[in-house]
Amino acid sequence: MQDSHDSSHGFRVGQRVHSAGDSRRIGTVKYVGPVEGYSGTWVGVDWDNGEGKHDGSINGVRYFQAKSERSGSFVRAPNLSQGISLIEALERRYRSKPTNDEEDEMYVLSTSNNRVSVQLVGKDKIQDKLSRLEELTNASLAYMGVSFPGNPYQINSTVPNMKELDLTGNLLSDWKDVATICEQLPALKALNLSNNLMSPYKSELPPLESIRVVVLNNTGVDWEQVELLKQSLTAIEELHLIGNNISRVLPMSSSFVQGFNSLCLLNLDDNCIVEWDEVMKLSQLRCLEQLYLNKNCLKSIFYPDNNQQNESEATSYKPFQNLHCLLLGDNNISDLTSVDSLNLFPNLVETRLSENPITDSTSGGVPRFVLIARLAKIKVFNGSEVTPRERKDSEIRYVRLVISRLHANAEEIKQHPRFSELKRFYGIEDERPSTGASGPQTIGSGFLSITLKCVGASMGEKQPLTKKLPATTTVGKLKFLCESFFKLKSLKLKLFLQEEGSPLPVLLDNDTSSLMDLGIGSESIILVDEES
């Protein structure tokens, strides 16, 4: 029962459709024909959102294979839409008058929770301006059921000045249709095709030299398709490929991706790249400045030395020569060697490592100040600026932390490439220093000025206290002191270090660690909370 049958309604297997009453409910036709036990012709649809009734089989008979157990359903043809043309979507979006229902939606709630209708001042002028399609430069046609271009020449005459076109969530699947649209819009600079399930293509597309930004998020494209697109998009500057299950980068020739001579930003977030070797195939893109690799499966990263490059392909151009932003959040990076390798990227100043094991302090990861100290050139870390003050404090705390560990294990120094450099730079002595406002201090004067702030819900309003504490004070001892300082005998306390630049305070969860061991310096702020 897997063979498709023709239908008088014109549906075909592989066609993209949406529910007649909901243009956001989109699916792919997998079967057209009779269903045993039911009269007439049915259309079997595999829904993108997975909200169907079965897997393509019913009453023990399989008609098609859906992508999941309940993503398929059978629908009568009149309940499905095959979509509209680009021109019709433009007319509906920008020239049709709002319905009474839409007008009724414009209201605010009064203090007595009654609806009070509101009127948009200047609405008619705005609507009039938008309705002049020949002047339109930006258009959003998201989820309007666009499935084909319409009359090509009519596109150019209708919107000749179009520069940015958003076609997110439509029914387009054929690259030839996309090429037709682009060819008729000579001023087009940015095109968003996200959430259109694009079919693979083999023939070359015409040159699309005006386009600078292409967004292909959740379109099902793989790197082979990207290589073919490269030949048409000769001037592309930004390429977004989020959520396409890309696991391999497959250059058309050579070991590295070539071409893309103007590409500055490549977004590969939310894909399936496991090996850093795949990413290295992008290292010869000479204009690449920003590379987004959040939500992949990377376990480690490295920067190659000269010996690691293939002699036949070695060039005077350093790998990732112009890359200044590398986002690696939500991967599986767990080693400090990977962190240290970021120092070798020639011009890297921004990175993201949040939601990796290496940054998860509850599972053996390291705190923000250690990462900042190890990353010498980073100016933006995990989305927040690394100020000169934060860098200085982080590097001094880091040196102090390493010194405390060296007394137990002299071999520890091998794991800290920047330690000696930073120790000399700040003039920190070996006697376990602490740093105050007057500069480096030795253990003989090793008292730290610590501000304690109560933040627990049941603690009431208590004024912050600034205390001089020995650097050897442990977290457990400090909890006991806080009970006395703030008269909190009946509460079980937990302490957090509030760090500049860090979005969340760091839990001090090891009662045996001293302030010195944790790298906490003078003028630090510790929050006093209660166990829930």
Side-chain angles (χ1 to χ4, degrees):
M1 294 296 296
Q2 295 184 17
D3 294 337
S4 172
H5 295 71
D6 291 332
S7 166
S8 59
H9 292 276
F11 290 98
R12 66 184 188 280
V13 170
Q15 182 179 7
R16 298 284 284 166
V17 295
H18 67 72
S19 172
D22 184 359
S23 61
R24 289 179 173 267
R25 180 167 165 77
I26 300 172
T28 303
V29 174
K30 294 292 187 177
Y31 172 84
V32 182
V35 173
E36 190 174 314
Y38 299 88
S39 62
T41 298
W42 293 83
V43 182
V45 180
D46 194 5
W47 298 103
D48 290 0
N49 62 8
E51 296 178 2
K53 296 182 178 180
H54 50 69
D55 65 354
S57 62
I58 187 169
N59 296 330
V61 180
R62 176 162 300 285
Y63 297 88
F64 64 93
Q65 183 62 60
K67 64 179 179 289
S68 66
E69 290 185 359
R70 299 189 67 83
S71 64
S73 66
F74 289 104
V75 187
R76 292 291 192 186
N79 294 326
L80 294 173
S81 172
Q82 300 184 62
I84 59 177
S85 71
L86 177 72
I87 294 298
E88 187 175 353
L90 285 165
E91 293 281 349
R92 289 187 184 183
R93 175 70 177 83
Y94 293 103
R95 281 187 172 162
S96 63
K97 293 183 178 181
T99 64
N100 290 334
D101 288 341
E102 290 171 332
E103 294 282 2
D104 290 343
E105 288 179 1
M106 299 180 64
Y107 64 88
V108 294
L109 292 175
S110 68
T111 54
S112 57
N113 209 35
N114 294 321
R115 290 189 182 189
V116 178
S117 297
V118 297
Q119 185 174 1
L120 179 63
V121 177
K123 179 187 67 175
D124 293 338
K125 289 184 178 179
I126 295 172
Q127 188 65 37
D128 178 64
K129 183 176 180 180
L130 290 175
S131 67
R132 296 197 294 271
L133 297 181
E134 68 279 1
E135 298 179 11
L136 201 62
T137 57
N138 303 334
S140 176
L141 302 177
Y143 295 98
M144 291 199 67
V146 177
S147 58
F148 63 102
N151 186 331
Y153 304 107
Q154 192 179 357
I155 296 174
N156 179 260
S157 61
T158 304
V159 282
N161 296 304
M162 185 66 63
K163 293 181 179 179
E164 297 181 13
L165 180 58
D166 182 2
L167 290 170
T168 297
N170 281 284
L171 307 180
L172 294 166
S173 60
D174 193 327
W175 282 104
K176 290 183 179 179
D177 288 338
V178 174
T180 297
I181 293 171
C182 294
E183 279 188 297
Q184 295 301 315
L185 299 173
L188 191 65
K189 303 294 183 185
L191 176 65
N192 189 345
L193 291 171
S194 296
N195 298 332
N196 288 271
L197 188 59
M198 303 307 298
S199 301
Y201 67 95
K202 297 179 181 179
S203 59
E204 292 186 12
L205 295 177
L208 304 173
E209 297 175 352
S210 67
I211 295 182
R212 300 291 185 268
V213 179
V214 175
V215 185
L216 296 173
N217 301 336
N218 303 302
T219 55
V221 300
D222 57 20
W223 196 264
E224 291 177 299
Q225 297 289 293
V226 173
E227 287 285 323
L228 291 172
L229 278 173
K230 175 179 67 178
Q231 301 173 45
S232 297
L233 301 169
T234 54
I236 190 170
E237 297 174 1
E238 288 188 23
L239 179 59
H240 298 263
L241 299 167
I242 297 174
N244 286 308
N245 294 315
I246 294 172
S247 60
R248 299 195 63 195
V249 175
L250 300 170
M252 191 169 284
S253 59
S254 164
S255 300
F256 299 98
V257 174
Q258 304 291 333
F260 284 123
N261 296 326
S262 302
L263 188 65
C264 298
L265 186 155
L266 178 59
N267 189 341
L268 287 165
D269 284 354
D270 197 14
N271 279 288
C272 305
I273 301 173
V274 177
E275 301 296 335
W276 186 252
D277 285 327
E278 297 299 319
V279 180
M280 284 303 304
K281 296 174 185 177
L282 304 168
S283 63
Q284 295 297 308
L285 296 176
R286 301 197 174 198
C287 287
L288 190 62
E289 297 178 353
Q290 300 178 69
L291 178 58
Y292 301 169
L293 292 164
N294 299 304
K295 294 186 178 180
N296 276 270
C297 307
L298 294 164
K299 297 180 181 178
S300 62
I301 64 176
F302 64 85
Y303 189 86
D305 57 32
N306 291 332
N307 296 327
Q308 288 177 292
Q309 296 185 63
N310 188 311
E311 289 184 9
S312 64
E313 300 194 74
T315 67
S316 59
Y317 179 78
K318 294 181 180 179
F320 294 115
Q321 174 70 56
N322 291 310
L323 192 71
H324 65 71
C325 175
L326 177 60
L327 304 186
L328 297 160
D330 202 357
N331 277 278
N332 297 318
I333 298 168
S334 59
D335 64 302
L336 284 168
T337 301
S338 291
V339 174
D340 294 334
S341 71
L342 295 175
N343 288 315
L344 301 176
F345 287 72
N347 292 294
L348 191 67
V349 294
E350 178 177 356
T351 191
R352 178 181 292 277
L353 291 169
S354 53
E355 297 183 76
N356 278 280
I358 192 64
T359 61
D360 185 357
S361 58
T362 63
S363 303
V366 296
R368 177 182 170 94
F369 82 88
V370 170
L371 294 169
I372 288 174
R374 297 184 82 113
L375 295 170
K377 298 179 291 185
I378 296 301
K379 296 180 180 179
V380 179
F381 184 65
N382 287 346
S384 62
E385 180 187 3
V386 179
T387 63
R389 167 69 183 274
E390 183 185 12
R391 175 159 293 284
K392 179 181 178 181
D393 289 351
S394 296
E395 290 175 345
I396 291 173
R397 286 181 63 192
Y398 171 68
V399 172
R400 202 184 296 125
L401 175 65
V402 176
I403 288 175
S404 71
R405 292 178 176 177
L406 289 178
H407 287 272
N409 180 13
E411 294 295 308
E412 175 87 13
I413 196 170
K414 295 179 181 179
Q415 301 175 28
H416 302 276
R418 297 199 68 216
F419 169 70
S420 297
E421 167 201 346
L422 293 173
K423 182 171 174 289
R424 285 193 303 271
F425 181 80
Y426 290 106
I428 299 176
E429 301 181 27
D430 284 332
E431 297 100 345
R432 297 188 173 191
S434 64
T435 302
S438 60
Q441 302 170 333
T442 64
I443 196 67
S445 58
F447 283 82
L448 308 176
S449 178
I450 303 294
T451 298
L452 303 168
K453 291 184 177 180
C454 287
V455 297
S458 65
M459 293 178 180
E461 292 189 12
K462 297 183 183 295
Q463 290 297 316
L465 294 178
T466 299
K467 296 288 184 179
K468 291 281 189 179
L469 299 172
T472 54
T473 303
T474 64
V475 172
K477 175 66 174 176
L478 184 54
K479 289 180 180 178
F480 176 77
L481 291 173
C482 287
E483 289 178 3
S484 175
F485 293 154
F486 296 110
K487 297 181 173 54
L488 302 171
K489 298 291 185 182
S490 61
L491 298 177
K492 187 176 181 180
L493 304 182
K494 56 182 178 181
L495 306 179
F496 294 86
L497 176 65
Q498 184 172 294
E499 294 184 289
E500 181 181 352
S502 182
L504 296 173
V506 178
L507 176 65
L508 306 179
D509 56 354
N510 187 342
D511 282 359
T512 63
S513 294
S514 68
L515 301 179
M516 179 172 54
D517 292 338
L518 294 168
I520 296 174
S522 275
E523 302 179 8
S524 294
I525 298 174
I526 292 178
L527 307 180
V528 183
D529 202 353
E530 57 191 296
E531 295 279 3
S532 55

